[in-house]
Amino acid sequence: MWKKRPSPHRDAALARSPSSSSAASVSGDSEEEDTGFLEVTVSDMKHPPPELGPMPEGLSPQQVVRRHILGSIVQSERSYVDSLKRILQDYRNPLMEMEPKVLSARKCQVVFFRLKEILQCHSMFQIALASRVAEWDSAEKIGDLFVASFSKSMVLDVYSDYVNNFTTAMSLIKKACLTKPAFLDFLKKRQMASADRVTLYGLMVKPIQRFPQFILLLQDMLKNTPKGHADRLSLQLALTELETLAEKLNEQKRLADQVAEIQQLSKSISDRSSLNKLLSSGHRQLLLCETLTETVYGDRGQLIKSKERKVFLLNDLLVCANINFKGQLEISSLVPLGPKYVVKWSTALLQVQVVEVGQESGAYDKDNVVIHNAGAKKHTPTGQSSHNKVYLGPPRLFQELQDLQKDLAVVEQITLLISTLHGTYQNLNMTVAQDWCLALQRMMKVKEEEIHSANKCRLRLLLPGKPDKSGRPISVMVVFITPNPLSKISWVNRLHLAKIGLREENQPGWLCPDEDKKSKAPFWCPILSCHMPAFSSKALDLQLGAAVHNPVQSSLLGFSAVSTSLPQGYLWVGGGQEGAGGHVEIFSLNRAVPRTVKSFPVASPVLCMEYIPEAGEGDPGTQEPRATTEQPPTSPHPTVCLGLRDGSIVVYGSVDAGTQCLLTCKSPGVQPVLCLKHSPEYLFAGLQDGTVAAYPRSSGGLWELAEQPTRLAVGTGPVRALLTLDETLWASCANQVTVLDATSLRAQQTFEAHPDAEASVTHMIKAGSGVWMAFSSGSSIRLFHTETLEHLQEINIATRTTFVLPGQKHVRVTSLLICQGSLWVGTDQGIIVLLPVPRLEGIPKITGKGMVSLNGHGGPVEFLAVALSTLAPDVLKGDQEEEEEGEEEKPHELDSPPPREMRKKGILLQYRLRSTSHLPGHLLSVREAPASGTPAHTEEDGSIYEMADDPDVWVRSRPCARDTPRKEISSVAIISGGRGYRNFHPESLRRGGDADSTLLIWQVPLTL
């Protein structure tokens, strides 16, 4: 296979050469046709497997750990190679030699395609590994060996071929098991004869799992390799190579599985049907498929029947099928059995509506299904609501919520009457009446939470049904139970984004400049959800300066709304007029399309913004004592800092705190503030005159803006970019970057980021162990190592933008952003380029051609901002988990009422008041007032059933009793700002677009 293998001593030279060649597809059924690979036999006699010698004395604890990890690498590789040998020696060779043949030679070659080459690849790796292990105690290097061995295109080729062929191989084995008893008997005997009883499928899935295993081992090794170690950069590069390889193989496996599922589905439909033609057209992408339980409810909310269905979400179609497992179940232990499907119904995606319990939607005909909002004023007539109960699932909850709403309206009227009383009474006054109202509102909140809990795993879809006799359209409600809340969120989110994906601007939204010039982008690229004016004021010609996201967790946002809305919080957008004042616009993102909530002028155009989170924000482990809710916290609320052209730095409170101006000051020398960054101790401002001003934190948690800041001279030109990195601050001036200690504020070193002195560093963005930089001239972006400051990669953006605007070679990068494995690059032509970068702690090298957005701006992309929020883990709890936690918490509720009182009818409407004895006036009662002044309840109060003592319980969720880490869901949106909106599709009419400042917002599917 390897025509020429470099010696282990040359590995280091290869470590830093980026892998430029991409996978070439290798076709052909028989191995004789594969002339690209030279077979090499590796003898165990000549090359014994790697063996780690006895541990020398005097090693540091870190060296001991590294040695153990090396032992794990050696052991896992030996086990893997043994598994590959077993497949060939125990299965392939006997089947090829068997007479009469139970599997033809051609089928054998298909089943075991590329396994010999994979074995050769790892046999050669073992030889190199043995030499590294032998010299480990003197050299301690292994990263460059992984780079040299697994960055070659032939490794990707053989693994790609194997992965792409895997589904075909498994279906061939399954078919042979069902049709040839001798083959099934052969597999059973081989499995029983093996010591570990692993099946052929269990062995053949190991190559697919190999690289994720390597990645985990190298991550452990990197964690235990100190900065400055000779192996550190090589390990980071190796991690990048393996992650890139694993990503490519995962994507190929996903596409192969998608094709197999669609083929399996189309087999169940007659060849002449329109659905079969749609599925076999090749234009359908499978976005999501899962086994869900369809449920049917009676008119009292009782479950009538339930059955498992396979539901397929395609890019423009929703299909529901019955699952039919046919064939001998005894083979299911040897090879996974694929079910056969019988299509039950299919409907166009745009006609599907998600409907939540108790949530009104304007998207469907109210005459057929009437579902009112939890907070709606109007009430459903009884006839309609009983007709509606068939669809609601648990209708009792919704009815009880409506009853509470009616009762609140009555109590509000009573409150108005109480305000007209002439006398003063202890237990009948405005304080008590308001307490009743608060208690009812609280009970409504509890009821809404119960409805919300019922929604967690219930996916209710409204589909178009057949018209009735009068021709009136009828909608049908289908209710599915999802396996867990995560699945429900995923379905609602994917359905929502798939519909947006069908809009004209997303057909297609991205161009993939691959070798085959495909214009069809993968579905999991960002989807343009909206474009809108950046400023509500049309009178002023405002230019954009900066934007920042202020994340806010909204407890009031419904379960389904979380799946469809933009990341929770507020988007601050700043700008202004040249030579005039500035302006700030704040948008609320707790919805599918942003809405302006506040806009205000500032003294001068906004040049930069910095969001500073609350101290300790995002630490789920911190439990505040209840007393602190009464007093202002010592740590400040989140703030947003603005840097203005007139040299002002202005600090605002967050939207929830009223966006009041907390602090303001002028920079030293009243220099324009070009960039802002913060660390735990300082607020740093990059100024026009080449200095960085460092403002320390005050005792109140804000910044000492009134005092003279520490001035750090960086150069003579403007400081255009700042970056806080671990305990350092990177500041750019012209083509130089100075690294300063973020605590002592002393300069550590300065390095040249670009050979051209005129090319100033304008943007710096960190990912993994690297920093990407953009410049004021030229179309290149450059990558530097965070530890050695070494220049690692340079990418010319112009080679990508020419796919959209041919002939335009002079391109300048105007904005940079890294988010979830993608580097976003905005240009002065309004074009946005997306480049893939690794997500792990390796080197963020660009590892593919990337994509170019066909949606952009009419002028330069002034900024790229990310809005990111994580869903509270409580939302992900299933009902079973909540019940378990409830049982754990019960013993602590010492003041809960006894069961006898629990059984009594009625509820004491009590929210804040424990007793009215401290209020002025007489006690209105048929009994005499108790002699003692204690606020104890008498039997008169009788029907006591307190919902909870603490009014904050329903505002703040209680911390989880168990400390099990819960998986978080990240909601991500990318915002670009620039002049106008432009569609770069050749056939689009929106070539120019308006010149107003415009925001483009892309949504990314929730990462689950």
Side-chain angles (χ1 to χ4, degrees):
M1 168 188 164
W2 305 87
K3 294 193 176 175
K4 184 177 179 184
R5 191 185 72 81
S7 70
H9 301 291
R10 282 188 61 228
D11 294 348
L14 284 159
R16 285 169 205 154
S17 62
S19 172
S20 56
S21 54
S22 59
S25 62
V26 181
S27 59
D29 278 342
S30 70
E31 294 173 45
E32 285 74 15
E33 292 173 27
D34 303 329
T35 53
F37 299 96
L38 181 69
E39 190 165 333
V40 178
T41 308
V42 178
S43 163
D44 282 348
M45 298 295 289
K46 283 184 187 173
H47 302 284
E51 198 71 54
L52 200 56
M55 192 181 296
E57 292 180 4
L59 296 182
S60 70
Q62 219 167 25
Q63 285 178 307
V64 172
V65 174
R66 279 170 58 80
R67 219 170 182 279
H68 282 309
I69 297 165
L70 179 68
S72 299
I73 291 170
V74 169
Q75 177 58 41
S76 79
E77 185 62 11
R78 185 183 301 155
S79 168
Y80 178 59
V81 169
D82 288 346
S83 297
L84 295 174
K85 285 177 180 173
R86 267 173 68 182
I87 298 170
L88 296 173
Q89 290 166 8
D90 295 358
Y91 290 93
R92 180 191 178 276
N93 297 347
L95 283 169
M96 292 288 278
E97 294 160 8
M98 197 181 285
E99 290 295 342
K101 290 200 183 302
V102 293
L103 208 61
S104 69
R106 192 189 65 80
K107 284 181 178 174
C108 272
Q109 283 161 355
V110 172
V111 169
F112 302 106
F113 186 53
R114 288 285 181 243
L115 272 163
K116 281 173 77 175
E117 287 84 359
I118 290 174
L119 175 59
Q120 287 160 15
C121 165
H122 284 269
S123 298
M124 303 306 282
F125 174 64
Q126 264 203 327
I127 295 169
L129 184 61
S131 69
R132 286 304 169 89
V133 168
E135 59 195 36
W136 177 258
D137 293 314
S138 57
E140 274 199 33
K141 284 197 78 177
I142 197 169
D144 53 344
L145 172 62
F146 274 93
V147 175
S149 300
F150 297 110
S151 61
K152 295 180 174 63
S153 62
M154 61 187 76
V155 178
L156 178 61
D157 289 350
V158 289
Y159 269 97
S160 294
D161 289 348
Y162 182 82
V163 166
N164 292 341
N165 182 64
F166 187 77
T167 311
T168 309
M170 288 304 112
S171 61
L172 214 152
I173 291 171
K174 186 179 78 175
K175 196 172 179 182
C177 285
L178 293 169
T179 57
K180 297 184 178 178
F183 179 70
L184 180 59
D185 193 48
F186 170 77
L187 290 187
K188 282 182 178 175
K189 282 179 179 172
R190 287 291 168 185
Q191 185 198 354
M192 296 306 287
S194 65
D196 53 11
R197 302 287 171 90
V198 174
T199 62
L200 175 60
Y201 171 79
L203 291 169
M204 288 189 69
V205 83
K206 285 180 185 284
I208 291 169
Q209 300 164 339
R210 187 63 194 134
F211 290 108
Q213 290 166 350
F214 268 153
I215 286 168
L216 290 172
L217 288 164
L218 285 189
Q219 280 181 307
D220 281 348
M221 188 68 95
L222 186 59
K223 274 180 203 161
N224 291 281
T225 305
K227 287 183 182 178
H229 192 288
D231 201 25
R232 193 165 164 87
L233 177 57
S234 303
L235 281 171
Q236 289 167 335
L237 286 163
L239 202 54
T240 298
E241 290 294 348
L242 290 173
E243 186 189 347
T244 305
L245 195 55
E247 276 291 322
K248 286 177 180 172
L249 295 176
N250 279 344
E251 182 60 16
Q252 288 175 354
K253 177 86 167 65
R254 192 184 69 77
L255 291 171
D257 290 347
Q258 175 183 306
V259 169
E261 281 284 9
I262 292 178
Q263 283 175 350
Q264 188 73 9
L265 183 63
S266 59
K267 278 180 192 172
S268 67
I269 312 160
S270 68
D271 294 341
R272 294 181 184 176
S273 74
S274 58
L275 180 59
N276 195 317
K277 287 172 186 170
L278 285 173
L279 291 173
S280 54
S281 66
H283 298 303
R284 297 291 167 289
Q285 286 177 286
L286 183 65
L287 311 183
L288 190 60
C289 69
E290 193 174 17
T291 302
L292 305 177
T293 306
E294 186 180 353
T295 54
V296 179
Y297 294 93
D299 58 355
R300 290 186 304 280
Q302 76 277 27
L303 185 67
I304 295 174
K305 63 176 182 178
S306 65
K307 188 166 183 184
E308 284 193 338
R309 311 274 189 214
K310 188 81 167 194
V311 186
F312 299 84
L313 172 61
L314 290 94
N315 51 313
D316 60 351
L317 206 62
L318 190 68
V319 182
C320 176
N322 288 335
I323 304 167
N324 186 11
F325 281 96
K326 282 187 178 175
Q328 294 166 298
L329 288 172
E330 61 178 317
I331 76 158
S332 62
S333 61
L334 297 168
V335 63
L337 271 175
K340 291 192 174 180
Y341 303 121
V342 179
V343 172
K344 192 166 183 279
W345 51 260
S346 67
T347 188
L349 193 59
L350 291 173
Q351 294 179 303
V352 178
Q353 302 293 334
V354 177
V355 184
E356 295 294 2
V357 176
Q359 285 189 350
E360 188 178 41
S361 169
Y364 50 82
D365 185 355
K366 304 269 191 315
D367 293 335
N368 298 320
V369 179
V370 182
I371 300 176
H372 278 298
N373 230 329
K377 295 278 183 194
K378 54 186 178 180
H379 305 296
T380 314
T382 51
Q384 282 184 325
S385 73
S386 62
H387 162 71
N388 203 26
K389 282 180 183 177
V390 182
Y391 305 127
L392 280 176
R396 178 182 52 81
L397 295 173
F398 184 54
Q399 188 60 51
E400 287 172 1
L401 180 64
Q402 288 190 325
D403 291 344
L404 284 170
Q405 287 169 346
K406 290 174 188 172
D407 291 349
L408 179 61
V410 172
V411 170
E412 281 171 348
Q413 289 175 330
I414 293 169
T415 305
L416 287 173
L417 290 171
I418 288 172
S419 68
T420 63
L421 288 171
H422 293 287
T424 305
Y425 309 100
Q426 261 190 33
N427 55 345
L428 188 65
N429 52 44
M430 283 302 288
T431 307
V432 173
Q434 283 167 358
D435 200 49
W436 295 344
C437 291
L438 285 167
L440 276 166
Q441 285 168 358
R442 189 173 168 287
M443 287 161 68
M444 283 166 60
K445 178 71 184 176
V446 170
K447 198 60 62 185
E448 281 172 3
E449 283 182 350
E450 286 177 17
I451 290 171
H452 162 82
S453 181
N455 277 335
K456 279 187 178 182
C457 293
R458 189 170 277 105
L459 179 66
R460 303 167 72 249
L461 303 177
L462 199 64
L463 312 173
K466 291 178 182 174
D468 63 8
K469 289 176 183 175
S470 65
R472 189 177 63 163
I474 296 292
S475 295
V476 179
M477 185 75 78
V478 182
V479 181
F480 292 108
I481 304 296
T482 61
N484 50 55
L486 211 61
S487 167
K488 159 74 185 285
I489 289 174
S490 177
W491 273 98
V492 177
N493 176 252
R494 299 292 193 269
L495 282 161
H496 172 70
L497 289 184
K499 285 183 186 178
I500 295 175
L502 292 174
R503 293 178 189 165
E504 188 185 354
E505 59 264 32
N506 289 311
Q507 292 285 327
W510 297 84
L511 187 71
C512 294
D514 285 327
E515 289 83 354
D516 51 1
K517 302 287 187 294
K518 278 184 189 170
S519 66
K520 186 176 156 188
F523 174 76
W524 297 132
C525 59
I527 295 168
L528 183 70
S529 68
C530 63
H531 53 87
M532 56 191 295
F535 300 107
S536 50
S537 168
K538 295 281 181 189
L540 303 169
D541 180 27
L542 297 167
Q543 293 177 350
L544 286 166
V548 77
H549 176 234
N550 171 11
V552 175
Q553 286 289 349
S554 171
S555 58
L556 301 174
L557 206 58
F559 188 71
S560 196
V562 168
S563 313
T564 56
S565 72
L566 294 160
Q568 295 176 43
Y570 300 96
L571 178 72
W572 291 55
V573 177
Q577 277 182 297
E578 195 70 43
H583 198 83
V584 173
E585 194 96 4
I586 305 175
F587 297 89
S588 166
L589 301 183
N590 293 349
R591 50 188 41 80
V593 178
R595 179 176 63 86
T596 301
V597 289
K598 189 159 187 176
S599 100
F600 54 88
V602 287
S604 175
V606 179
L607 300 182
C608 56
M609 286 183 174
E610 176 79 336
Y611 168 70
I612 298 163
E614 198 170 341
E617 191 176 289
D619 298 345
T622 55
Q623 288 187 24
E624 295 178 55
R626 275 188 191 164
T628 58
T629 57
E630 306 287 324
Q631 307 150 3
T634 50
S635 59
H637 288 294
T639 53
V640 175
C641 298
L642 274 55
L644 308 186
R645 179 161 288 159
D646 68 359
S648 301
I649 297 173
V650 193
V651 181
Y652 286 91
S654 64
V655 176
D656 289 351
T659 61
Q660 74 269 35
C661 180
L662 304 175
L663 294 169
T664 182
C665 77
K666 292 285 186 183
S667 65
V670 199
Q671 292 290 320
V673 181
L674 305 183
C675 47
L676 288 167
K677 278 285 178 283
H678 78 282
S679 73
E681 293 92 11
Y682 291 98
L683 175 66
F684 298 104
L687 307 179
Q688 181 84 38
D689 64 356
T691 60
V692 173
Y695 296 90
R697 264 199 199 273
S698 65
S699 54
L702 287 165
W703 312 102
E704 296 280 11
L705 295 187
E707 304 295 319
Q708 273 299 312
T710 307
R711 292 184 65 176
L712 313 167
V714 176
T716 53
V719 177
R720 299 181 64 173
L722 291 173
L723 180 68
T724 47
L725 206 65
D726 298 327
E727 280 101 45
T728 62
L729 172 75
W730 289 30
S732 77
C733 186
N735 65 334
Q736 308 271 327
V737 173
T738 302
V739 181
L740 303 124
D741 186 295
T743 309
S744 68
L745 306 182
R746 291 202 181 99
Q748 293 179 346
Q749 60 194 116
T750 301
F751 65 97
E752 189 180 85
H754 201 286
D756 181 2
E758 299 298 310
S760 300
V761 179
T762 53
H763 297 85
M764 295 189 286
I765 193 107
K766 177 193 179 285
S769 302
V771 173
W772 278 102
M773 296 186 190
F775 303 90
S776 58
S777 61
S779 56
S780 290
I781 54 173
R782 308 181 112 217
L783 172 66
F784 292 86
H785 191 220
T786 56
E787 295 164 23
T788 63
L789 310 182
E790 199 174 327
H791 174 225
L792 299 174
Q793 194 179 21
E794 183 161 358
I795 295 288
N796 185 2
I797 297 300
T799 58
R800 272 73 172 180
T801 58
T802 51
F803 285 98
V804 175
L805 290 179
Q808 291 273 1
K809 290 184 180 174
H810 298 291
V811 179
R812 187 169 54 83
V813 175
T814 55
S815 47
L816 277 184
L817 176 77
I818 281 187
C819 178
Q820 291 194 333
S822 294
L823 174 64
W824 292 67
V825 184
T827 67
D828 59 345
Q829 298 170 338
I831 299 172
I832 293 165
V833 178
L834 201 58
L835 299 164
V837 290
R839 296 168 186 246
L840 300 179
E841 56 271 47
I843 303 296
K845 282 169 59 182
I846 288 165
T847 52
K849 296 276 181 186
M851 301 186 292
V852 183
S853 176
L854 292 171
N855 296 294
H857 295 280
V861 181
E862 299 294 349
F863 62 74
L864 286 162
V866 63
L868 189 147
S869 70
T870 52
L871 211 57
D874 308 8
V875 177
L876 309 181
K877 280 192 282 192
D879 293 338
Q880 196 175 352
E881 289 177 272
E882 286 180 345
E883 281 169 24
E884 286 169 13
E885 285 186 14
E887 284 166 20
E888 286 178 26
E889 287 170 10
K890 270 180 189 172
H892 305 295
E893 294 173 8
L894 299 174
D895 55 352
S896 58
R900 182 181 64 81
E901 290 183 338
M902 288 286 284
R903 285 197 294 272
K904 292 186 178 182
K905 292 178 182 175
I907 292 176
L908 175 68
L909 280 183
Q910 182 175 324
Y911 178 65
R912 295 187 188 281
L913 296 177
R914 280 200 166 277
S915 167
T916 58
S917 60
H918 63 285
L919 296 176
H922 302 287
L923 179 70
L924 279 180
S925 174
V926 292
R927 296 188 180 190
E928 289 183 26
S932 64
T934 57
H937 293 297
T938 61
E939 193 60 36
E940 169 82 21
D941 296 297
S943 52
I944 293 176
Y945 168 50
E946 286 201 5
M947 303 292 284
D949 292 328
D950 181 11
D952 287 321
V953 164
W954 60 268
V955 179
R956 286 178 181 273
S957 57
R958 278 177 294 186
C960 177
R962 290 171 296 177
D963 293 329
T964 52
R966 293 194 187 279
K967 196 175 179 185
E968 286 185 331
I969 297 181
S970 295
S971 173
V972 177
I974 308 294
I975 301 102
S976 74
R979 284 280 180 192
Y981 162 66
R982 181 173 179 184
N983 191 305
F984 291 96
H985 201 276
E987 290 141 34
S988 172
L989 301 173
R990 295 291 297 268
R991 300 298 288 172
D994 50 23
D996 286 341
S997 292
T998 304
L999 301 180
L1000 269 58
I1001 300 180
W1002 283 268
Q1003 262 183 286
V1004 180
L1006 291 176
T1007 52
L1008 305 173

